[in-house]
Amino acid sequence: MRYLRLRVGDSALVDLDANQIGSRRVTLYDGPIESVLREGFGTLEEPARLYGRVWTAGPQVVIRYYAAHPVDGDQVPLCAVARLGNDQMRKSPESKPGMAILEGSIAAAFIVDAFR
């Protein structure tokens, strides 16, 4: 994280799914995800990509990011999670197994020291 000039707790807004930017509602599926930075994040400039994994089994979506790809650089390791307050990562009731519908396509990516 030092390479990216990021510390635990640092955060930035991301478009959760690069394929659904600007959507009022976003549908996410279990498996890999590509998110897009909406603002600077340490040495990462927008629109750098964040790569991670989505889990939809519980009442809220869990997204963990493992790598970042700067606009003009090589992919680097990252340890971050997507978060929003007020239950905004909670799945919509019409979500089916293996997928989640969220009311909004933006979240914050927070740097963490480990996944729990």
Side-chain angles (χ1 to χ4, degrees), residues 20-41:
Q20 299 181 66
I21 292 175
S23 297
R24 189 181 65 76
R25 298 177 86 192
V26 64
T27 302
L28 302 177
Y29 296 90
D30 286 329
I33 190 165
E34 177 184 5
S35 298
V36 180
L37 278 177
R38 295 179 63 102
E39 59 188 358
F41 197 30

Side-chain angles (χ1 to χ4, degrees), residues 56-107:
T56 64
Q60 295 197 44
V61 175
V62 174
I63 302 174
R64 295 177 176 170
Y65 295 110
Y66 300 99
H69 196 165
V71 176
D72 294 329
D74 296 326
Q75 187 168 304
V76 293
L78 185 75
C79 192
V81 296
R83 290 185 183 145
L84 276 177
N86 301 319
D87 281 341
Q88 291 176 321
M89 294 293 284
R90 184 169 293 280
K91 298 184 322 187
S92 176
E94 65 260 28
S95 299
K96 293 182 175 36
M99 57 91 77
I101 299 170
L102 299 178
E103 297 295 330
S105 61
I106 298 170

